[in-house]
Structures are given as structure tokens and as C-alpha cells.
Amino acid sequence: MSPAGPLPSPEPESPLWQREARQQFPIVTAHPELAYLDSAATSQKPRAVLEAVQTYLTTSNANAGRGTYPWANRTTELVESTRERVKEFLHDPEPGRTGVHFTSGTTEGLRTVARDWLVPYLTDGDEILVPYADHRANLDPWLEARRLLAERGVQVRVRALPYQAGSGDYDHLALHRAVGPRTRFVAATHVHHVYGGDMNVHRIRGAVGPDVAICLDAAQSVGHLPVHLDAPSLDVDFVVFSGHKAMALPGSGVVWARNTRGPAFRPEGWQGTPNTAGIVSLRAALDWLDTIGPERVAHWTTMLSTRLTDRLGHLGPYEVVGCQASLSADSALPAEQRRRGIVTFRHRDIPSDDLGFILYSHGFMVRADNLCQAGSDGRDASVRVSLHVYNTVEEIDRLLAVLASLA
């Protein structure tokens, strides 16, 4: 057995605001023996979201944009006001210019950008840069766009977004060199779903120049940390995220479009019945998150993930995936480089899927597979712990004790 090493420096045991926030999640408080550590897959829902949906479905449920009676008018108003609420939550600097389109989640949102905006925008000989080591949802749509264009006789070059060796972060210097006169589009990820690192997207605009459109997969950032689109460094053209990862119901998602580079984003085809209950839940979730404070959520989950990685660094059989320089609480890396509530690791001797079953037998619900990472297969399986505001220091220390017993 490897020496476990000392526990990380004590942190305040769940300040009052966090304890009060945790109490607002019925599924969490109903199962104190279980620790839900899979929030990167989907978040749990606070009571305010559940009550908002129940109120809507029992008082004014109707279709949006199709009727003139009060329930229909109220539903239409809820949908349209939620578009403005999304802009407010994202600190949209020009809400009069931008657009918000509701989707079923990040995957559909990215495919919609690819099919309905990128395909008509590109011409023969254009280039795009896309991430080959991020979530498949942020790779497959762009490859599909290339195929659709090829069927029309339009040849587009797809180039790989460069990464730094060993860290998993984007290589912004290499990105600057990769941009050419025919580069039209870059797809990037805000927070990596495996490594948990902030991908420093604020550096991408400076690397690609003022004319290249940027689409940001924000599935692991919106609802987990502040996203301020009014910051000049976050000059992106699309932000796509899933509501269900941000406290809302499954089947809700958003494409936010800046509408300044290329044509305005207008999804093609007939727009059918929207997921009105999902949209209502998204509005309630954004209100709840603003009340709690995205800054506090980010600070709390970063502290928990730092505590976990710092301890794992002392356990010999475990390899933490991603930037090794961010493993220690004493890391000199700036705060934005720290793991944002996601810690992924492997055991030297225990297969990851087996480790996942073992952890569940001790009350821990984690993800254990290849995590939908592009270019990976079963040999790349790992265990991912992903945290949110309802998780506690006690849960992390209890998890560490179990992991240490397997070292």
C-alpha cells in the first residue's frame, strides 16, 4: 500500500451559504448516504426550478406563438422573456443585436450552428480549426459540415486546433501560426469535460485575429462559473450550452449568437413546438444561480477539486489526467488554470469501470468510461469526479479515504 500522505489544509466546513444551498436540492437531502459526483453529466435541480415547472404546468401550460388565449399568451411571454434572461445572465454587451435560440442541449446546438450557419457561410478553399481532443459533440458537427459541403462540390479544409503537450490546454502560440488568410472559423471549448481545465479561451481572439468567427462549447462553464461576454477578451460569436448541466431540466439548451461576423444566425426549417417546460426551468435555474452567485459556486467547486487533486498526488497508484502542474494547492498557476470542479483519474491496477462499481458500493456516483472524448476508446477509460454547489468537503474526504484504502 502506498503512503497516503497528509490531508490537504483544512477548509471551512461548508459555510452557511453552501449549507443553505445544499438544502434546496430534494434529491440530495433525501439520500445523505450517497454522494452525487457526476454533475458534468447533468446537474441536480433545486426546489425553485422544480416548483417553477410545476406551477407552469398546472396554471398556464400551452403552446407558444400559436394561440391568442391567455395561457398561450403567457407561455409565449415566458419563452421570449427567457431569451432576454439568457442574455442578461451571460452579460451580453449588445442584447439588441444578438439572438438566443433554444435547443435540446449542447449537441443539438453545435449541430445547428454547423448545418444552418457554417455550411452556407463557407466557400471553396476555406479553412476551419476544430478540437480533436474535446467532447465529440464539439468535433462531429464540424466534420459533418465538411461532408455536406463536399457533397455540393465545395472543398473545405478542417485543421486540428493545437494543444500543449502534457497539459491538454490549447497552444495559443501554435494557434496563431495555424491561422491563415482562408481561416474562417474556430470551434473551442470553455472548460474541458475531462481535464477540468479552463482552456483560456480569452486568448483565442488575440491568436486568430479580429475576423475569424469563434464558436464556444460552454457546456461545462455556464452554470458552473461566471461567463461574462462583455469582457473584450471573450469576443466569441456563438456560445452553446445545455440547460440540464446548469440546474434546468433535460432537453433544454441554448445557442447564443453575436451576429457580427458572417451572416446573422437564423436556424433553417420550420420551428416546431418548443420545450416550454424546459425553457421555464431554464429561466428559474438562471434566477437561482444568480441568487447564489456564480462566483461563489466557482470558488467552492474549485476548492473541492483542488483538495481532491492535492490528495491524489500523494497516492502512488493514481494518475490524474490533465495538467500535472495544477495538482497541488500550492500550484503557482493562476487561478483560471485550476481545475473547475472536474477531476479525472485512473488507477494503475484497477480498471476504471471496476473502480466506478467499487466507488458506488461505498456510496459515490461517478462517471467511469472514456467520457465521450473525441479520439478515445475503451483503453482510455477513466474515472471522473465532477462537482457542484451541493457537494461538501466531507464527501471529498470520505472519497479520499476509500481511494486511499485501494492504493
Side-chain angles (χ1 to χ4, degrees):
M1 180 179 294
S2 301
L7 280 171
S9 302
E11 292 282 347
E13 284 287 341
S14 299
L16 177 61
W17 73 267
Q18 191 277 334
R19 296 199 303 272
E20 291 178 344
R22 178 181 168 89
Q23 289 301 312
Q24 296 179 50
F25 291 85
I27 195 171
V28 173
T29 57
H31 299 281
E33 76 283 5
L34 299 175
Y36 182 75
L37 304 175
D38 196 22
S39 292
T42 195
S43 65
Q44 298 302 335
K45 321 305 175 192
R47 186 172 291 104
V49 169
L50 302 175
E51 291 176 349
V53 173
Q54 183 178 30
T55 298
Y56 165 70
L57 291 176
T58 56
T59 61
S60 59
N61 177 42
N63 213 330
R66 288 163 172 78
T68 57
Y69 51 90
W71 290 1
N73 291 339
R74 175 58 178 156
T75 298
T76 300
E77 178 188 344
L78 283 169
V79 170
E80 295 308 314
S81 65
T82 303
R83 298 186 202 276
E84 300 309 309
R85 185 67 183 92
V86 169
K87 296 180 184 183
E88 181 183 24
F89 187 80
L90 296 177
H91 300 268
D92 188 334
E94 296 182 278
R97 176 196 293 269
T98 58
V100 168
H101 174 70
F102 294 116
T103 71
S104 65
T106 304
T107 299
E108 186 198 354
L110 293 170
R111 291 191 73 223
T112 303
V113 174
R115 293 192 313 265
D116 296 347
W117 185 86
L118 188 63
V119 168
Y121 176 51
L122 297 178
T123 59
D124 198 64
D126 283 345
E127 296 182 350
I128 64 175
L129 287 96
V130 302
Y132 275 78
D134 294 1
H135 198 288
R136 286 192 59 181
N138 201 16
L139 174 62
D140 289 355
W142 320 120
L143 300 182
E144 181 186 10
R146 178 179 62 181
R147 178 181 60 79
L148 292 173
L149 285 163
E151 291 173 355
R152 304 177 187 183
V154 178
Q155 299 301 317
V156 170
R157 183 181 183 188
V158 177
R159 304 184 64 185
L161 202 63
Y163 294 83
Q164 294 178 5
S167 73
D169 194 9
Y170 298 137
D171 187 332
H172 299 87
L173 294 178
L175 175 59
H176 175 75
R177 296 190 294 269
V179 174
R182 298 300 300 273
T183 303
R184 299 286 182 261
F185 177 83
V186 171
T189 300
H190 198 177
V191 172
H192 200 281
H193 75 293
V194 176
Y195 309 129
D198 184 316
M199 301 297 282
N200 286 317
V201 295
H202 60 282
R203 297 178 181 171
I204 292 181
R205 175 56 64 197
V208 304
D211 301 322
V212 177
I214 300 172
C215 180
L216 188 63
D217 174 351
Q220 301 298 343
S221 57
V222 172
H224 299 260
L225 66 150
V227 178
H228 291 270
L229 295 179
D230 53 357
S233 58
L234 203 59
D235 180 13
V236 298
D237 298 270
F238 298 95
V239 172
V240 186
F241 67 93
S242 300
H244 74 94
K245 297 180 190 289
M247 308 294 187
L249 293 186
S252 59
V254 166
V255 174
W256 172 91
R258 192 180 293 274
N259 296 326
T260 58
R261 297 175 183 88
F265 176 67
R266 295 186 179 91
E268 297 180 359
W270 175 257
Q271 301 301 302
T273 298
N275 178 3
T276 53
I279 293 169
V280 167
S281 77
L282 179 61
R283 170 66 181 264
L286 299 183
D287 288 345
W288 189 88
L289 285 163
D290 262 345
T291 299
I292 296 298
E295 293 83 0
R296 287 201 296 190
V297 173
H299 174 79
W300 182 253
T301 56
T302 299
M303 181 275 292
L304 293 179
S305 55
T306 300
R307 188 177 185 88
L308 177 56
T309 53
D310 194 54
R311 172 68 164 173
L312 281 174
H314 296 286
L315 296 176
Y318 295 97
E319 171 203 4
V320 180
V321 179
C323 180
Q324 299 300 300
S326 67
L327 293 184
S328 172
D330 298 326
S331 172
L333 290 173
E336 62 267 19
Q337 289 279 4
R338 305 294 275 280
R339 295 168 192 268
R340 295 294 193 175
I342 295 174
V343 181
T344 304
F345 56 90
R346 300 184 182 97
H347 193 287
R348 183 182 59 215
D349 302 314
I350 304 175
S352 293
D353 53 350
D354 290 346
L355 184 55
F357 283 117
I358 293 170
L359 290 177
Y360 180 71
S361 72
H362 290 275
F364 301 101
M365 292 177 280
V366 299
R367 178 81 176 267
D369 53 31
N370 67 352
L371 308 179
C372 300
Q373 186 174 15
S376 66
D377 56 30
R379 295 169 296 181
D380 301 306
S382 53
V383 173
R384 183 180 69 187
V385 171
S386 50
L387 306 157
H388 220 307
V389 67
Y390 34 74
N391 294 119
T392 66
V393 172
E394 184 273 335
E395 289 175 337
I396 296 301
D397 288 351
R398 186 156 48 91
L399 172 65
L400 285 165
V402 173
L403 293 173
S405 72
L406 302 171

